[in-house]
Amino acid sequence: EVQLVQSGAEVKKPGESLKISCQGSGYSFTSYWIGWVRQMPGKGLEWMGIIYPGDSDTRYSPSFQGQVTISADKSISTAYLQWASLKASDTAMYYCARATQLYSPFDCWGQGTLVTVSS
Amino acid sequence: SYVLTQPPSVSVAPGKTARITCGGNNIGSKSVHWYQQKPGQAPVRVINYDNDRPSGIPERFSGSNSGNTATLTISRVEAGDEADYYCQVWDTSSDRGVFGGGTKLTVL
């Protein structure tokens, strides 16, 4: 069974760093893109960026470029989304999702990681 | 940057047909994917590549795409179809993905 399992909910303070994860199983992790999607409370889906774990080719939305870092460790079939310095406005649900190609749909989604940033 | 525009809400009576639009400049030249998201759940794709229905999605769901508008059509709407629906494309000019703002489907 194809699965993406994300790390658990996080509560952080502004200015702190954070790295959340997304582990794939049931398929060849290096042969699919992994994208990250933000959903702020009560709002819609926002495409953040995407990585190809096979060669670490990464694309970012201009809205998120420089604000987050997407990476992957193919040895443990895990993709990451990280922040160097969190802001309250980073409070959101973050989903990872799998795609065959850049233009392909996301055919499998993680369960989401809720990140809460509050002083 | 490429923008996808969806109506914030659509209401339909059970058994009727719901049409949810997704507008974008020459969107007919792109492949459009549609997702359904119910409260507290991750999104699920319901239409791939304009009009392809993934395995397990009822035949009541269909899609079309031409000109500046893509449309998700849900026939014989059921109470269980009540959800938020999002369109999505890959914008080759900016080399990034884009989601529409989402449409809340209410079954009256």
Side-chain angles (χ1 to χ4, degrees), chain B residues 53-87:
Chain B
R53 198 174 50 252
S55 173
I57 301 301
E59 290 183 13
R60 302 183 295 103
F61 288 79
S62 63
S64 63
N65 184 18
S66 179
N68 293 319
T69 305
T71 304
L72 172 68
T73 301
I74 309 171
S75 304
R76 302 182 300 283
V77 166
E78 303 174 356
D81 299 330
E82 192 163 278
D84 294 324
Y85 291 85
Y86 297 89
C87 56

Side-chain angles (χ1 to χ4, degrees), chain A residues 39 59 102-106, chain B residues 33 35 37 48-49 90 95:
Chain A
Q39 187 166 39
R59 318 292 170 85
L102 287 170
Y103 53 80
S104 300
F106 289 126
Chain B
H33 316 303
Y35 303 88
Q37 187 182 32
N48 299 321
Y49 300 103
W90 180 263
D95 210 23

